[in-house]
């Protein structure tokens, strides 16, 4: 539904596709179908005139014929079987990967928005003399950049970001408003960091205080955090600094909101975690893993590559074999749950009773006549 | 126990009740019992002189007779059966809804506190020329108000709030310190937004990058967030912007702290969620629902009106029928848990073994003599 | 691996041990083994020259012989049985409590870092005239200190902290960047508060609005938050203010990141909670308890002293007896989970069927001949 460009900024379809298609996806309008001006991007059901839409989910195919978009991206197969020869109100764009092309178009529109944001360094930002800020860096109002920080070319910090001493931010990063980096945190190129995320807070480490009363002696956390390239970190997510070594987030890792990554963890390249996931300290997660929402892992575990954890699952031991793993108590109506959950504390006893019956039966079967004769 | 008014600001009971009772609840002191000066509001056990208290939980009835408050709100039934004719140290206030009247009194005292806070626009706030700030708006130190923002009459922004470009805040809203709105977020009238909440961060959307290595292409999130009237949003809660459409929060919705609402979600009017709830993307929740603490829902679900989810329950499929739903593993002593949880991976096998026994028994019963004769 | 001191700041081993050992732990280098200059602290496997390391986990004992550290802390027993008489590349330091000594050394290095941070009150901080700031307090850029606040000697506030009206911060506290205290919050001495934590937001309290439509009347939260001495609170953790009384956190309590403590809760001295824990309102937790990651408790419960809750466990009733308690659905491969979880809604029925079989068997056994004769 968003109309994203003002009328005088509308862009011809062919130019939009060329500019957006940074991956070189196979994507072109049906020849001769026209070259409408495009101002936005919408779903099949909500896109209106001067917008482009896409069909990636076959279930939505019927929406094609009511779609009011100026252009619609479809696969060649859909074009051949559904659209060719029909009178269409939109320009069909044939593309091998409509969903990916949608992603690239959305990126194009967002880049267009970002390009118009204020540039330069706001006078209310407080920047240490020793900080090295590359050309073309934008720093918003009320940011604080401490001693020894380096920020790479083309990066943009929204209002109220705080970058602790000696931290490093790579090139072309986008820090939304109010991102906090403690000291000694390194972020690679093209990171997207969302508001409220905190990188480099102290890991949770204490030694029992032997002087009694159950007190704790803080283990000051001397390691850092190292974030690879092309990482996105969601709003209010926290990644703690290591105790002695670094906490390490690999390239291309995508973390949603409200995630907690404990100290000394390592997260492999391209692993993605949905919101509310917690990874306890010193756990190592492989490449291309996914952790669905609210999944939790204990500490000091190893998850191998290509491990997929279902939502709300608590991982309490290492997983070395690729695959999908789940552990969720199925919900039900409350009284059904009460009735069935009440049996759980008896499960072990039930198994014992079942075994006893089986033994009895086996004994009955192998000793014919015994049951009735004794 | 809070004493909230200075001695010279004490208010006569009758005036306090009249000013606080904005709902017109049936509520009046017993005639002739006096009109003490009130400076605060406390529980039965802790209220002291010059304070008003209330009895809403019948279990606390015995505390009435030790209560040191100057006035106590009770139901007419309690008055008739427990208090009438006795010598009382407090003025009884008869009210059909003591708990609601307590809420209204607490609101009165809080309004009194807020009315004394600094007003106006602090000189350190950074406000875009194109922002439209209505009369009577207060904006605290170090706030940032970006281009095209509109803020309605009587709204108050605490220190360090950031309102992104083209966002809209209605009338009489209260943003506590350090609330973050991204661009294109709309908040209705009388909202209360708590510190650290983030409205409008990017939803978590990626298309697989077909160029290999398991990478992800970001789906830039072009929708917004629309929040209705009379909504409260807790500290460090996050509500993501929609992918193409808006994420929508209905009127009167109450969200506690540390909640995550994914992109494209819709939450119906008057639904309330306790802390640590997570709602994954594109899920639609009806009106008057409640989700207790740490409940989680998967994405793309529908919860109908009047659905109530117990705490720590993972909702993995749609729920259309009103009622209470639960799915929690009952806790127990650790070794009991170990013993019983160890049976869970065998449940399906146990059921099979039970069936086998039943079949055997049935066969024994229907074929008399077979067991012992074979 | 961190090298923390510049070469010209290297400190002799004996002086480092003396300065770090604030607990008076039994700890001294083997006589005559030398007094190397130390610049950092590392693990056995990563410490390099000019660093000190330690052996606390017996499993890592083999790493001693490849260790490149200048000095290693070991127990007298390890010295006697493993090291004495061998040629060693490091100075052995004999200590009754190597892990605690590691904690104290890490604290020393961190104090050294903190001591070099900018001091004083940054000119961009906004400080109310009525605030009482003791000598030796440091307040970072863009902080906001409201009316009536008191901050004790030696406390340090990082950039962007906000301290609400009439809040109190004790001596020698360390508030990292962007900590938020609402009004009326009291923090004891030597607190460490991490970025994004929010103390004193409104508890989640509403009375049903009897005027219909399922609406809610806010119960304004008039209590405060009181935090004891030596408390650490993690990044993005939230502790709500009480409704009428205070929410109370005892001395020496350690809270990790992303924890939620509801209104009116009381947490006993030295209790520790790992990340993502949620404690619902009015729950009282004893002394020396531990709640592992993502544990949740319902509201209005009591947990006695020395209660230990396993990770991801939902506590739904009070626990008065010390011990460890668990309630986690064991995870497994997804299809195994599906197969076994499908039996859960039948558990009660299975138990009934098992009983029926047992009764039948008992009846068979007590009435000999019946089975085969009927």
């Amino acid at each position: 539904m968003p109309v994203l460009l003002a009328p005088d900024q509308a862009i011809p379809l062919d130019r939009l596709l060329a500019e957006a298609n940074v991956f070189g996806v196979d994507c072109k309008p049906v020849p001769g179908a026209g070259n409408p001006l495009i101002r936005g991007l919408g779903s099949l059901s909500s896109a209106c005139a001067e917008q482009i839409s896409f069909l990636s989910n076959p279930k939505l195919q019927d929406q094609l014929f009511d779609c009011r978009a100026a252009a619609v991206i479809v696969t060649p197969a859909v074009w051949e079987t559904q659209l060719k020869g029909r009178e269409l109100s939109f320009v069909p764009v044939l593309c091998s990967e409509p969903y990916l092309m949608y992603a690239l178009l959305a990126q194009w529109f967002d880049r267009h928005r970002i390009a118009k944001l204020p540039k330069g360094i706001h006078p209310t930002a407080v920047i240490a003399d020793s900080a090295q800020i590359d050309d073309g860096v934008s720093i918003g109002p009320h940011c604080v950049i401490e001693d020894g920080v380096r920020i790479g070319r083309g990066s943009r910090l929204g209002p109220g970001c705080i970058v602790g001493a000696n931290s490093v931010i790579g090139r072309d990063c986008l820090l939304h408003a109010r991102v906090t980096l403690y000291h000694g945190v390194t972020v690679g190129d093209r990171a997207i960091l969302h508001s409220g995320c905190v990188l480099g807070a102290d890991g949770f480490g204490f030694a029992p205080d032997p002087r009694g009363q159950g007190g704790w002696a803080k283990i000051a956390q001397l390691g850092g955090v190292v974030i690879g390239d092309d990482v996105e970190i969601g709003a209010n997510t926290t990644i703690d600094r290591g105790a002695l070594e670094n906490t390490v987030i690999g390239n291309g890792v995508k973390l949603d909101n409200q995630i907690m990554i404990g100290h000394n963890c390592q997260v492999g390249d391209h692993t993605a975690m949905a919101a509310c996931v917690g990874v306890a300290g010193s756990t190592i997660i492989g490449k291309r893993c996914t952790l669905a929402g609210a999944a939790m892992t204990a500490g000091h575990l190893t998850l191998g590559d290509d491990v997929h954890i279902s939502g709300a699952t608590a991982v309490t031991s290492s997983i070395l074999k690729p695959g999908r793993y789940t552990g969720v108590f199925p919900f039900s109506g409350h009284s059904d749950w009460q009735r069935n959950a009440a049996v759980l504390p008896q499960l072990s006893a039930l198994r014992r009773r079942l075994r006893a019956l089986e033994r009895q039966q086996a004994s009955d079967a192998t000793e014919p006549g015994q049951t009735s004769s004794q």
Side-chain angles (χ1 to χ4, degrees), chain A residues 260-322:
Chain A
M260 163 62 183
I261 308 286
H263 60 169
N264 313 321
C265 286
Q266 298 174 30
V267 178
D269 294 352
H270 305 304
T271 282
M273 303 188 194
C276 305
V277 163
V279 180
S282 301
T283 282
I284 297 173
I285 297 183
K287 297 179 179 177
R288 297 175 304 276
C289 294
T290 58
L291 284 81
M296 297 283 162
T297 83
H300 296 273
L301 304 184
T302 299
L303 274 63
D305 297 339
D306 301 299
V307 165
H308 304 282
I309 307 297
S310 299
T313 292
V315 177
T316 51
S317 59
S318 291
I319 302 176
L320 302 180
K321 195 177 153 195

Side-chain angles (χ1 to χ4, degrees), chain A residues 323-342:
Chain A
R324 184 177 174 198
Y325 297 83
T326 306
V328 181
F329 197 106
F331 79 98
S332 59
H334 183 71
S335 57
D336 284 344
W337 170 80
Q338 278 184 303
R339 198 162 34 239
N340 291 303

Side-chain angles (χ1 to χ4, degrees), chain A residues 61-98:
Chain A
Q61 198 163 286
D62 289 350
Q63 295 184 4
L64 274 176
F65 304 104
D66 295 326
C67 181
R68 290 163 299 145
V72 178
I73 301 168
V74 298
T75 59
V78 165
W79 163 251
E80 289 292 336
T81 60
Q82 307 290 322
L83 302 179
K84 200 173 172 180
R86 296 181 70 147
E87 190 166 337
L88 298 171
S89 62
F90 53 81
V91 174
V93 177
L94 307 192
C95 179
S96 54
E97 302 272 0

Side-chain angles (χ1 to χ4, degrees), chain A residues 2-352:
Chain A
V3 174
L4 300 142
L5 306 183
D8 62 350
Q9 296 176 321
I11 180 170
L13 175 63
D14 58 358
R15 214 178 92 212
L16 171 63
L17 293 174
E19 290 186 15
N21 191 357
V22 293
F23 277 17
V25 174
D26 190 17
C27 181
K28 50 178 182 289
V30 166
N35 191 24
L37 288 173
I38 304 293
R39 291 173 53 207
L41 170 64
S43 66
L44 282 179
S45 61
S46 68
C48 49
E50 302 187 272
Q51 296 195 1
I52 184 168
S53 187
F54 63 98
L55 171 68
S56 62
N57 181 347
K59 288 184 194 162
L60 304 180
Q61 198 163 286
D62 289 350
Q63 295 184 4
L64 274 176
F65 304 104
D66 295 326
C67 181
R68 290 163 299 145
V72 178
I73 301 168
V74 298
T75 59
V78 165
W79 163 251
E80 289 292 336
T81 60
Q82 307 290 322
L83 302 179
K84 200 173 172 180
R86 296 181 70 147
E87 190 166 337
L88 298 171
S89 62
F90 53 81
V91 174
V93 177
L94 307 192
C95 179
S96 54
E97 302 272 0
Y99 194 63
L100 178 61
M101 195 61 211
Y102 152 50
L104 298 177
L105 284 166
Q107 288 180 14
W108 185 93
F109 279 103
D110 211 39
R111 278 200 303 274
H112 188 271
R113 177 186 65 78
I114 291 170
K116 295 189 298 185
L117 294 179
K119 284 194 181 56
I121 296 179
H122 196 274
T124 59
V126 174
I127 302 181
D129 290 343
S130 61
Q132 298 174 41
I133 313 293
D134 279 4
D135 292 344
V137 168
S138 289
I139 298 182
H142 298 137
C143 285
V144 179
I145 313 293
E146 296 188 343
D147 279 321
V149 165
R150 286 177 300 165
I151 303 181
R153 186 174 302 184
S155 285
R156 164 179 284 282
L157 280 65
C161 288
I162 296 173
V163 185
N166 303 311
S167 283
V168 177
I169 295 172
R171 293 185 173 193
D172 295 317
C173 292
L174 174 58
L175 278 66
H176 287 276
R178 189 172 296 134
V179 164
T180 305
L181 274 60
Y182 278 54
H183 62 282
V185 172
T186 298
V187 175
D189 297 335
R190 295 174 300 280
I192 298 174
L193 308 183
H194 284 281
S195 295
C197 73
V198 177
L199 310 185
D202 286 346
F204 197 62
F206 299 90
D209 175 346
R211 297 173 304 175
Q213 277 90 47
W216 302 97
K218 177 176 177 69
I219 299 173
Q221 303 287 302
L222 306 179
V225 175
V226 175
I227 311 274
D229 295 329
D230 299 299
V231 170
E232 182 160 352
I233 298 177
N236 285 353
T237 282
T238 55
I239 303 179
D240 277 355
R241 65 190 318 109
L244 288 170
E245 319 292 321
N246 295 318
T247 303
V248 180
I249 307 295
N251 296 320
V253 168
K254 309 297 181 187
L255 303 181
D256 198 356
N257 297 3
Q258 310 242 28
I259 288 172
M260 163 62 183
I261 308 286
H263 60 169
N264 313 321
C265 286
Q266 298 174 30
V267 178
D269 294 352
H270 305 304
T271 282
M273 303 188 194
C276 305
V277 163
V279 180
S282 301
T283 282
I284 297 173
I285 297 183
K287 297 179 179 177
R288 297 175 304 276
C289 294
T290 58
L291 284 81
M296 297 283 162
T297 83
H300 296 273
L301 304 184
T302 299
L303 274 63
D305 297 339
D306 301 299
V307 165
H308 304 282
I309 307 297
S310 299
T313 292
V315 177
T316 51
S317 59
S318 291
I319 302 176
L320 302 180
K321 195 177 153 195
R324 184 177 174 198
Y325 297 83
T326 306
V328 181
F329 197 106
F331 79 98
S332 59
H334 183 71
S335 57
D336 284 344
W337 170 80
Q338 278 184 303
R339 198 162 34 239
N340 291 303
V343 182
L344 280 172
Q346 309 170 3
L347 267 192
S348 175
L350 288 185
R351 181 173 58 175
R352 209 162 45 237

